[in-house]
Amino acid sequence: MCGIVGYAGRREAQPILLDCLKRLEYRGYDSAGIAVAGKGLQLFKSKGEIAVLESKMPRMPGTVGIAHTRWATQGKPTTENAHPLDDCSHRLAIVHNGIISNFMGLKESLVKDGHRFASETDTEVFAHLVESELKGDLVDAVSKALRQVEGTYAFAVVAADRSEIVATRRESPLVVGLGEGENFLASDVTALLKYTNRVVYIQDDEVVRVTMDSVSIRGPSGELVEREAQKITWSLEDAEKGGYPHFMLKEIFEQPDAIHDSLLGRIETLETEPFFQGDSFTSVKVVACGTSYHAGLVGKYIIEELAKIPTTVQISSEYRYSPVARESPLVVLITQSGETADTLGAAREARKRGNKTVGIANVVGSAITREVDHVIYTRAGPEIGVAATKTFATQLAALYLLAMDLGVQNRVLTAQAKRSITGSLRNLPRAVQDVLNQAHLIEALANKYSGAKDMFFIGRGINYPVALEGALKTKEISYVHGEGFPAGELKHGPLALISKESPVVAIAVKDHTYERMLGNISECSARGSPVIAVAFEGDTEIAKYVDDTIRVREIPPIFAPVPIIVVLQLWAYYLAKAKGCPIDKPRNIAKTVTVE
Ligand code: F6R
């Protein structure tokens, strides 16, 4: 959802800004732009991806600058609306991630005061507000302008003839990278890994001044803030493609290691270092968006089965505005980025309602970690592909651990049950590796069905949300219309859509729903629909009912969602590849959704 970067140092800013910006392209690719300050102000921007900007822009000498890649919210994706945006005098340039909700009123009064607007964006009002307030110190001007804006934002501002960047945030991510004789700013640490691994996270309503040899942070009342730098353990290699054609494929193939790292050490220490010492809960609510919401839906089955605690799951944007009546004392917020605006809002709301909150997040130091009582990191490493893959699998790993802990606290798990669960968890990376070893087979099947415009995904019980996630991956990156259904619901309406033109992917593992699932598969094949089953190895019956079968290792059904989702991720990936889609950058989507 827009990426911003900044550089102040001794080197030429332009190539460094561009390099950092490319690593943020997953956040939006409607337009891009760059401004270099110092001697005067040079600004260049263009509609389209960063590569378009790069191919057109002139050399812009100077050692201080800011840059932006946009995911359009307010104002069409045009060159005029691209960032940086400047003021009437063309001496200030601003990049913004977020939304200024009161921009209409501000724009009206700025226009009355004689300001001339060149774009349709909300962001431009901030350029003119800073212009009006700028009497000398840029930090003062930005602070005064901030008092007038409402909404969510990370802003970075440069001004002609000044070798400083002033930046601030509210509910949108902003991190400062510390170098030797140079300092950086970015929406996400992955943009900075090539240059530094020492970072300082800026917090809501702080204003930071960055120059080549200093970083000074002011709190909301103007007080000086001292904050220790954090060391990031992710390497640059983690954030690069490493020979894979797409980040998504690389991240799918990283899953055995990611799951292993996610579980590492925790299975052993859960007994001595539980997540909830002495707490027991009568109910749990899981709150999340998108893929993380699907992980939450799987989590409901896991928590109810392992901990015997009734669990409900709600989409963050719905939870925030729902009545408080049926609350749960434990609210689990799942967000890989840790920056999703709706989930952050939900976390605040959950705390306000007096609940205990746990965040399941991938990005260390992200905003969610400041909004919850306890954080479980998924340790998946950076995920750059817009479609979430390894973060989903590791969210499930975290949910197994959480459920086990809740089960222990609730005294419903016997020592033997615990041993058996931990044994299964340790085997998960191998079950995933088995799926990856069959990538060529999944590719061949995806090619076979790549002409379909509609595709249905069905499952029962714990595999129903896995079907939803398979459908989401498919529509998101291959643009095939994918719909997920609980298999038992087909006859209540969706069967009307089923035809020989619409393949059905059926998750049919041998659990207590298997026989019913075979019935639902027959309902589809009777209407001419080709059926592709995802089934356990050794299931000899399934082939009689379906056209094609993809096999996963037979494991206890509660753990089956992990290898099965890997099948569906590969399915979506190869469909998208067959159709020539821009896999890592699907249209209209951004990875981190920092607007509500
Ligand atoms: C889909 C996808 C999104 C995210 C959603 C929540 O592949 O990635 O649906 O899952 O935007 O993001 P996080 O988990 O960062 O809160």
Side-chain angles (χ1 to χ4, degrees):
M1 188 112 326
C2 299
I4 65 179
V5 294
Y7 174 80
R10 294 195 170 84
R11 298 191 262 175
E12 284 239 320
Q14 187 184 22
I16 295 174
L17 288 169
L18 203 64
D19 186 39
C20 294
L21 198 62
K22 282 181 188 162
R23 294 171 200 279
L24 292 185
E25 198 162 28
Y26 68 86
R27 299 177 68 89
Y29 25 85
D30 288 330
S31 64
I34 191 162
V36 176
K39 293 196 179 66
L41 182 75
Q42 306 151 76
L43 195 154
F44 194 86
K45 52 196 197 172
S46 110
K47 179 176 184 274
E49 297 185 1
I50 296 168
V52 180
L53 174 83
E54 191 174 15
S55 68
K56 292 191 198 161
M57 69 185 177
R59 183 170 161 251
M60 298 159 81
T63 59
V64 176
I66 53 177
H68 187 270
T69 183
R70 181 167 187 245
W71 186 80
T73 47
Q74 181 59 49
K76 289 185 274 308
T78 59
T79 300
E80 293 70 41
N81 291 336
H83 300 206
L85 288 145
D86 57 357
D87 65 332
C88 302
S89 66
H90 307 295
R91 295 187 61 76
L92 281 171
I94 283 173
V95 288
H96 171 214
N97 168 29
I99 288 187
I100 303 176
S101 48
N102 62 338
F103 88 97
M104 289 284 213
L106 289 172
K107 188 169 178 176
E108 261 171 42
S109 55
L110 283 160
V111 168
K112 265 191 211 137
D113 292 346
H115 288 268
R116 297 175 311 280
F117 278 73
S119 78
E120 300 161 329
T121 65
D122 51 339
T123 306
E124 195 180 342
V125 296
F126 197 68
H128 295 281
L129 287 174
V130 178
E131 177 186 17
S132 307
E133 300 294 350
L134 188 59
K135 307 285 183 282
D137 186 38
L138 191 55
V139 169
D140 281 349
V142 168
S143 304
K144 284 184 183 144
L146 276 181
R147 285 182 210 133
Q148 302 165 60
V149 299
E150 288 164 16
T152 61
Y153 45 75
F155 287 117
V157 185
V158 289
D161 307 325
R162 293 179 192 236
S163 19
E164 63 186 346
I165 309 168
V166 175
T168 183
R169 62 155 273 171
R170 179 183 288 166
E171 295 179 31
S172 289
L174 185 66
V175 60
V176 171
L178 306 175
E180 296 298 329
E182 57 187 359
N183 291 304
F184 307 80
L185 268 173
S187 301
D188 181 337
V189 285
T190 52
L192 306 180
L193 289 175
K194 184 168 164 188
Y195 300 94
T196 181
N197 63 356
R198 286 192 312 128
V199 302
V200 176
Y201 284 95
I202 303 305
Q203 301 190 2
D204 277 356
D205 301 321
E206 291 177 344
V207 179
V208 58
R209 184 201 307 270
V210 177
T211 67
M212 71 178 184
D213 46 22
S214 72
V215 171
S216 67
I217 306 172
R218 300 250 162 215
S221 320
E223 74 283 11
L224 211 54
V225 175
E226 294 286 340
R227 183 163 307 130
E228 292 251 321
Q230 290 194 28
K231 204 161 170 213
I232 300 298
T233 53
W234 293 351
S235 68
L236 177 61
E237 221 177 43
D238 290 335
E240 292 189 328
K241 280 191 206 147
Y244 285 88
H246 298 99
F247 279 112
M248 184 179 176
L249 192 63
K250 174 182 178 243
E251 288 156 6
I252 291 174
F253 271 78
E254 282 172 348
Q255 289 180 110
D257 287 343
I259 295 166
H260 174 267
D261 291 352
S262 201
L263 298 171
L264 193 72
R266 284 170 169 163
I267 301 182
E268 294 76 17
T269 56
L270 213 52
E271 208 141 325
T272 47
E273 296 165 34
F275 296 132
F276 308 106
Q277 185 80 56
D279 281 332
S280 69
F281 302 97
T282 48
S283 67
V284 175
K285 183 174 280 286
V286 186
V287 182
C289 304
T291 289
S292 298
Y293 169 70
H294 294 156
L297 289 173
V298 179
K300 169 187 163 65
Y301 290 87
I302 299 173
I303 296 169
E304 291 187 342
E305 180 152 342
L306 300 187
K308 309 283 181 252
I309 305 178
T311 301
T312 51
V313 192
Q314 209 166 359
I315 287 181
S316 309
S317 54
E318 294 297 316
Y319 171 80
R320 291 180 69 182
Y321 303 107
S322 65
V324 295
R326 277 189 290 132
E327 267 312 310
S328 292
L330 176 65
V331 178
V332 180
L333 298 119
I334 310 180
T335 165
Q336 82 78 21
S337 63
E339 301 288 351
T340 298
D342 283 320
T343 307
L344 293 176
R348 279 178 217 121
E349 187 58 34
R351 264 190 166 173
K352 209 161 77 195
R353 295 177 188 182
N355 305 304
K356 185 139 202 164
T357 52
V358 176
I360 297 182
N362 193 42
V363 180
V364 174
S366 57
I368 191 75
T369 63
R370 295 186 286 278
E371 302 288 354
V372 291
D373 301 316
H374 185 88
V375 187
I376 305 174
Y377 284 115
T378 49
R379 302 178 180 166
E383 188 176 70
I384 314 286
V386 165
T389 52
K390 61 177 177 170
T391 53
F392 178 80
T394 54
Q395 286 167 350
L396 295 191
L399 285 161
Y400 289 116
L401 293 174
L402 176 67
M404 226 170 48
D405 190 37
L406 290 170
V408 170
Q409 301 299 322
N410 265 18
R411 299 178 198 283
V412 295
L413 274 184
T414 62
Q416 197 196 349
K418 264 188 342 197
R419 267 197 306 279
S420 135
I421 296 166
T422 54
S424 297
L425 285 175
R426 287 203 179 91
N427 279 332
L428 277 178
R430 255 173 279 157
V432 169
Q433 189 57 51
D434 281 354
V435 174
L436 299 176
N437 295 346
Q438 300 176 71
H440 55 286
L441 168 83
I442 301 172
E443 178 169 19
L445 286 178
N447 285 343
K448 176 173 166 188
Y449 293 105
S450 61
K453 290 201 170 49
D454 304 292
M455 226 168 249
F456 299 99
F457 294 77
I458 57 172
R460 278 178 173 259
I462 196 166
N463 289 313
Y464 155 51
V466 183
L468 292 180
E469 175 59 9
L472 176 62
K473 288 289 92 96
T474 294
K475 69 183 125 196
E476 184 180 20
I477 58 160
S478 75
Y479 310 153
V480 172
H481 167 233
E483 284 286 335
F485 294 109
E489 271 295 290
L490 288 181
K491 55 190 170 297
H492 299 290
L495 266 186
L497 294 171
I498 301 279
S499 76
K500 61 180 188 340
E501 312 294 334
S502 53
V504 174
V505 178
I507 305 170
V509 294
K510 284 226 167 178
D511 61 10
H512 61 292
T513 67
Y514 183 72
E515 295 302 324
R516 297 269 170 279
M517 204 51 216
L518 292 183
N520 301 136
I521 288 173
S522 301
E523 289 162 10
C524 299
S525 39
R527 282 149 186 93
S529 200
V531 180
I532 305 99
V534 184
F536 279 152
E537 280 166 4
D539 175 350
T540 47
E541 210 181 341
I542 192 78
K544 293 182 227 146
Y545 290 81
V546 300
D547 298 81
D548 290 293
T549 310
I550 303 167
R551 304 280 178 177
V552 299
R553 178 189 282 228
E554 181 157 2
I555 55 176
I558 190 173
F559 299 102
V562 178
I564 293 172
I565 195 55
V566 180
V567 170
L568 301 185
Q569 292 165 351
L570 286 169
W571 173 264
Y573 174 82
Y574 288 120
L575 266 183
K577 186 176 164 214
K579 299 185 70 208
C581 298
I583 292 174
D584 282 334
K585 293 183 273 174
R587 68 184 176 216
N588 304 337
I589 313 276
K591 189 155 185 74
T592 310
V593 185
T594 51
V595 294
E596 294 174 14

